[in-house]
Amino acid sequence: MPARAFRDIAVVALWTLALLAAGILSAVRFHATVVDPTSGIDLHVFLTAAQQVASGGDPYDAKDYVYSPLLAVLLAPFSGSTLTRVIPAWTAISIAASIGTVAVVLALVWSRIGRVMRPTLALVGVVTTLWSYPATFVLWFGQVDFIVSLIIAVSVASGVAGRAAWSGVMAGVAAAAKSWPGAEVLWYLRRGAQGRRRSLVGFVVVVAAVAVLTCVGLGTSALREWIAVTVGARSQPLSSFSAWGVGRDLFSDSGVLATPVAVSPAMRLGATLVVTAGVVALLVLAMRRPGDAALAAWNILGCVLLLMPVSHLTYRVYLLPMIWLWLVQRDRLPRAEWLTALGIVGVSWLVGYRTATGDPGHVTVGPFVTVLAANLLMVTASVIGASRMVDMRCSDTRVSSDGAGRVG
């Protein structure tokens, strides 16, 4: 069989597998979520806040609502519906957003990869996303993480494509939906970033507009409460897969882990400082030697997540594009270095995303350390690997040639 014919068959087979995987995994995740009577804990909070807005009240009168007023306002038209009626549509939207993130990242690298790699990336993207415990928890809680992840992906793709202002606007939308993704602005400050001023202006305009509309529609108290709950949310009785969680959860009687390794203020402080210093060093490296422009966005985001006081397991879904982008870096590193980084990132996903941690508020030491170590290793390998892309580290130029250098 001629090589071209074999390749054509492989392309068709891979696209078929990707579509089947998307359909089957989506159906499984959807069914598991909507039939579980305990699903939608966070979605219930969102709807309660939306009911407050719809009745002319304050969304922060809703117990446990720690998000921006924007989310409650957008859900206000559905505030009269019960959780049971809303959760199927919400789950479908979240699953669609997760697949949409794969599609955006694929579009981002489409011109620099070959016909075989395109469906391969799609297949890997769908499987790594929907066949993981972080995805299970995002859907079970009824969280917004897949939707915000899609917004971030659109922002990054826009920035790489030269649409700097639009990139900043989408980053502002992500920050307005869930405050901490606003840390994406660090990506605009990396070495060699193009359109930095336009991106930052777009970001500031959106955040300012949301703040003004909040004051006009809900009163200045809502804006103050938004800031207050955002600051207050830095301390929660849930496991935190970050540098702060290492000290607090492993070496103090915080009640987050079932049983801490030890109760020692000195070990808590020491562990926190050591891991924080290491992640800060990675963040500086990611900013100064970003390598591939798109990959740099998720490398920086990975460092931010490892520095946050509260970094939930569900937040791991934001780093999935890091895995997919390493599939297409073969033309930017020596083969051995690329395979090493790809292997570490892949194994880190297998260990970190396929380890069951149990109840988010009562995780045992073993799964906690396993998932956290895998996340640290994945971000470390990705940042260091990207920094080795010496020739590309200051460029946002996309490789668009159909000739040599294409992956796949």
Side-chain angles (χ1 to χ4, degrees):
M1 179 183 295
R4 184 177 181 83
F6 180 81
R7 182 177 292 244
D8 291 341
I9 293 173
V11 169
V12 173
L14 285 168
W15 276 119
T16 302
L17 282 175
L19 292 173
L20 283 174
I24 293 171
L25 288 173
S26 295
V28 170
R29 285 284 169 260
F30 178 84
H31 181 265
T33 303
V34 299
V35 301
D36 188 342
T38 65
S39 295
I41 294 174
D42 288 346
L43 179 57
H44 174 70
V45 174
F46 302 159
L47 290 175
T48 303
Q51 289 168 1
Q52 293 289 336
V53 171
S55 61
D58 187 337
Y60 297 105
D61 288 340
K63 186 176 182 294
D64 298 326
Y65 188 74
V66 295
Y67 304 87
S68 92
L70 178 65
L71 182 59
V73 171
L74 291 176
L75 287 175
F78 309 98
S79 60
S81 301
T82 63
L83 177 63
T84 304
R85 292 182 60 185
V86 174
I87 199 166
W90 185 260
T91 302
I93 291 171
S94 292
I95 292 174
S98 72
I99 296 175
T101 303
V102 178
V104 170
V105 174
L106 178 58
L108 173 63
V109 298
W110 184 274
S111 62
R112 58 175 281 205
I113 61 178
R115 294 173 60 231
V116 175
M117 182 55 69
R118 290 166 183 166
T120 300
L121 190 150
L123 176 61
V124 171
V126 168
V127 171
T128 53
T129 298
L130 294 177
W131 190 54
S132 69
Y133 284 106
T136 299
F137 278 118
V138 168
L139 297 174
W140 180 73
F141 278 116
Q143 259 295 342
V144 296
D145 295 306
F146 276 137
I147 298 171
V148 177
S149 180
L150 174 59
I151 296 171
I152 290 174
V154 172
S155 175
V156 174
S158 299
V160 173
R163 299 180 179 91
W166 181 248
S167 176
V169 166
M170 295 307 293
V173 172
K178 193 165 188 173
S179 305
W180 70 261
E184 187 192 343
V185 296
L186 292 174
W187 185 54
Y188 303 129
L189 303 178
R190 74 193 184 280
R191 189 177 186 182
Q194 303 296 312
R196 178 178 298 153
R197 181 175 298 179
R198 284 175 292 152
S199 296
L200 292 174
V201 168
F203 175 85
V204 171
V205 166
V206 171
V207 173
V210 171
V212 170
L213 290 174
T214 297
C215 292
V216 172
L218 302 174
T220 56
S221 62
L223 181 61
R224 291 196 300 269
E225 288 177 283
W226 179 15
I227 297 172
V229 298
T230 299
V231 174
R234 70 186 185 278
S235 177
Q236 297 179 24
L238 296 171
S239 50
S240 182
F241 296 89
S242 67
W244 300 97
V246 171
R248 185 200 66 176
D249 296 345
L250 291 178
F251 302 110
S252 74
D253 191 16
S254 63
V256 173
L257 293 185
T259 304
V261 173
V263 178
S264 169
M267 294 179 69
R268 173 179 179 171
L269 178 62
T272 302
L273 290 177
V274 168
V275 179
T276 298
V279 178
V280 169
L282 289 174
L283 178 58
V284 171
L285 182 61
M287 297 281 288
R288 290 183 60 81
R289 300 185 64 176
D292 179 81
L295 181 59
W298 282 282
N299 285 346
I300 291 169
L301 190 62
C303 293
V304 169
L305 287 176
L306 288 171
L307 291 173
M308 287 171 54
V310 177
S311 188
H312 300 306
L313 179 69
T314 56
Y315 292 172
R316 301 310 107 189
V317 300
Y318 290 97
L319 298 188
L320 288 166
M322 180 189 295
I323 302 168
W324 316 332
L325 287 172
W326 269 107
L327 285 172
V328 302
Q329 303 303 326
R330 194 179 74 187
D331 59 336
R332 300 196 170 180
L333 279 172
R335 185 178 182 85
E337 293 187 25
W338 169 66
L339 287 174
T340 299
L342 178 62
I344 293 174
V345 168
V347 170
S348 297
W349 173 86
L350 185 62
V351 174
Y353 286 72
R354 290 298 304 160
T355 295
T357 58
D359 181 353
H362 211 57
V363 177
T364 55
V365 170
F368 176 81
V369 172
T370 299
V371 171
L372 179 58
N375 290 329
L376 279 166
L377 186 61
M378 184 170 79
V379 174
T380 300
S382 187
V383 170
I384 293 176
S387 73
R388 299 283 297 170
M389 301 174 189
V390 179
D391 293 337
M392 300 300 298
R393 70 177 185 235
C394 295
S395 175
D396 286 350
T397 304
R398 296 179 63 180
V399 178
S400 58
S401 171
D402 289 332
R406 289 165 62 90
V407 179

